[in-house]
Amino acid sequence: KGNKYLFQIFRKKTPKQLTDAELKLWSALKNRQLGNFKFRRQVPIDNYIVDFACLEKCLIIEVDVGQHMEKSLVDGERTAWLQSKGYRVVRFWND
């Protein structure tokens, strides 16, 4: 409960500004428009906050803003951890 509570506080104080690509994707995912599945945005999962998630299907959608070597390594570790917890992670480029 503690971690989830801290993430809720963090999310409310510093909402992520969505890029144009994320806004377009969110407009297609929200309100059960895709296969009648419920997607949420900025979902806390343990120590991570993912861009979009359908918890019912254990599906995470991430929109990558840019790829630098350090970010790529962190994203790889993050993806491996999420997959180890049973999530399927799909990444799209922001372009």
Side-chain angles (χ1 to χ4, degrees), residues 16 22 49 51 62-79 91-94:
K16 180 182 175 189
E22 289 172 321
I49 297 178
D51 292 334
E62 294 278 76
V63 179
D64 291 333
V65 177
Q67 281 303 83
H68 300 291
M69 184 56 94
E70 300 95 23
K71 182 160 177 14
S72 181
L73 292 172
V74 170
D75 284 347
E77 292 172 4
R78 172 184 166 117
T79 297
R91 292 187 176 280
F92 293 99
W93 293 103
N94 192 43

Side-chain angles (χ1 to χ4, degrees), residues 26-58:
W26 180 236
S27 70
L29 295 175
K30 67 182 179 180
N31 299 326
R32 297 183 179 267
Q33 295 179 89
L34 183 65
N36 202 33
F37 296 112
K38 179 171 178 61
F39 280 86
R40 296 171 42 205
R41 66 182 185 93
Q42 291 185 276
V43 180
I45 298 176
D46 199 36
N47 291 328
Y48 299 109
I49 297 178
V50 300
D51 292 334
F52 306 100
C54 175
L55 299 177
E56 175 185 357
K57 293 295 182 181
C58 292

